[in-house]
């Protein structure tokens, strides 16, 4: 299944292009990928059973681990009702990641105002929990925009019900030059424009 289609089904409050870029950077589309924040190790189990066993042992040892497609931190498991047995489900993981991003955007919009800058800072917060100071990660997300890819084998899981509201975050591409680094985002260089409303299309990448 193509990732944007799965995102539309499981996390419709985030535009597929935006969440696809998050997943591309975070896990490369591997639903079993883990990053152990405590030991600083990348863990790629060969099957879900191994993944669950590793995560259970890591959590029992008090280790913090980023898990699955959206690399949801185990510190967020209680908030989203995740367990080692459920966190690797594609829909379950994407839904949690989308909620984390949406919360980060609301925080950023309250500080910087809605729009491009808020989305840029939301990307920073998605990785670090802070709205400022993680521009390298935010630019990696922008650079990953517009490159859809299929999920790995065995990634599908039963669909998760989406929110009842009819709105969604929608992105449109604008000109952006990833070769130029800036301490602050500039509107002419951001790859997303964020609005609130129904998603009507999946945008195409802008010409360089």
């Amino acid at each position: 299944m193509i990732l944007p289609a799965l995102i539309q089904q499981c996390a419709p409050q985030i535009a597929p292009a935006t969440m696809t870029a998050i997943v591309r950077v975070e896990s490369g589309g591997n639903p079993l990928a883990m990053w152990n924040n405590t030991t600083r190790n990348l863990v790629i189990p060969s099957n879900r059973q191994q993944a669950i066993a590793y995560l259970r042992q890591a959590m029992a040892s008090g280790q913090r681990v980023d898990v699955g497609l959206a690399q949801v931190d185990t510190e967020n498991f209680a908030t989203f009702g995740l367990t080692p047995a459920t966190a690797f489900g594609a829909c379950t993981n994407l839904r949690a990641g989308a909620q984390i991003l949406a919360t980060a955007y609301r925080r950023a919009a309250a500080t910087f105002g809605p729009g491009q800058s808020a989305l840029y800072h939301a990307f920073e917060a998605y990785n670090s929990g802070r709205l400022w100071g993680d521009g390298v990660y935010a630019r990696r997300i922008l650079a990953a925009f517009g490159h859809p890819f299929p999920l790995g084998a065995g990634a599908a899981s039963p669909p998760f019900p989406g929110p009842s509201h009819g709105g969604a975050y929608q992105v449109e591409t604008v000109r952006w030059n990833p070769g130029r680094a800036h301490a602050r985002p500039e509107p002419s260089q951001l790859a997303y424009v964020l609005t609130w409303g129904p998603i009507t299309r999946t945008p195409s990448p802008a010409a360089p």
Side-chain angles (χ1 to χ4, degrees), residues 103-185:
T103 298
Y105 177 77
R106 287 192 291 269
R107 286 175 53 207
T111 302
F112 303 101
Q116 295 175 350
S117 291
L119 184 59
Y120 183 95
H121 291 294
F123 291 150
E124 293 185 277
Y126 188 89
N127 186 56
S128 68
R130 302 182 302 274
L131 293 175
W132 185 259
D134 202 359
V136 171
Y137 176 83
R139 288 191 290 273
R140 287 180 63 201
I141 299 298
L142 295 175
F145 176 75
H147 300 280
F149 56 94
L151 288 171
S157 66
F160 216 99
S164 58
H165 61 70
Y169 291 119
Q170 179 176 345
V171 292
E172 298 176 355
T173 57
V174 297
R175 184 177 179 84
W176 179 64
N177 180 0
R180 295 178 60 192
H182 291 266
R184 294 181 64 89

Side-chain angles (χ1 to χ4, degrees), residues 2-179:
I2 298 298
L3 183 59
L6 187 65
I7 292 168
Q8 283 186 316
Q9 182 182 47
C10 305
Q13 76 272 36
I14 301 295
T18 300
M19 203 65 203
T20 295
I22 291 281
V23 170
R24 184 178 183 88
V25 170
E26 288 286 348
S27 67
N30 187 332
L32 302 181
M34 287 178 280
W35 172 256
N36 191 315
N37 291 290
T38 302
T39 64
R40 311 301 295 173
N41 287 327
L42 178 65
V43 181
I44 307 291
S46 59
N47 56 59
R48 183 174 291 203
Q49 289 72 28
Q50 289 181 4
I52 292 172
Y54 175 88
L55 185 57
R56 282 177 173 159
Q57 182 176 4
M59 291 178 68
S61 300
Q63 297 173 354
R64 280 184 50 209
V65 184
D66 296 336
V67 179
L69 287 174
Q71 291 292 278
V72 178
D73 195 315
T74 49
E75 285 195 336
N76 292 315
F77 275 26
T79 300
F80 300 108
L82 299 177
T83 68
T86 64
F88 296 100
C91 269
T92 306
N93 195 278
L94 285 171
R95 189 185 192 204
Q99 290 175 328
I100 292 169
L101 182 61
T103 298
Y105 177 77
R106 287 192 291 269
R107 286 175 53 207
T111 302
F112 303 101
Q116 295 175 350
S117 291
L119 184 59
Y120 183 95
H121 291 294
F123 291 150
E124 293 185 277
Y126 188 89
N127 186 56
S128 68
R130 302 182 302 274
L131 293 175
W132 185 259
D134 202 359
V136 171
Y137 176 83
R139 288 191 290 273
R140 287 180 63 201
I141 299 298
L142 295 175
F145 176 75
H147 300 280
F149 56 94
L151 288 171
S157 66
F160 216 99
S164 58
H165 61 70
Y169 291 119
Q170 179 176 345
V171 292
E172 298 176 355
T173 57
V174 297
R175 184 177 179 84
W176 179 64
N177 180 0

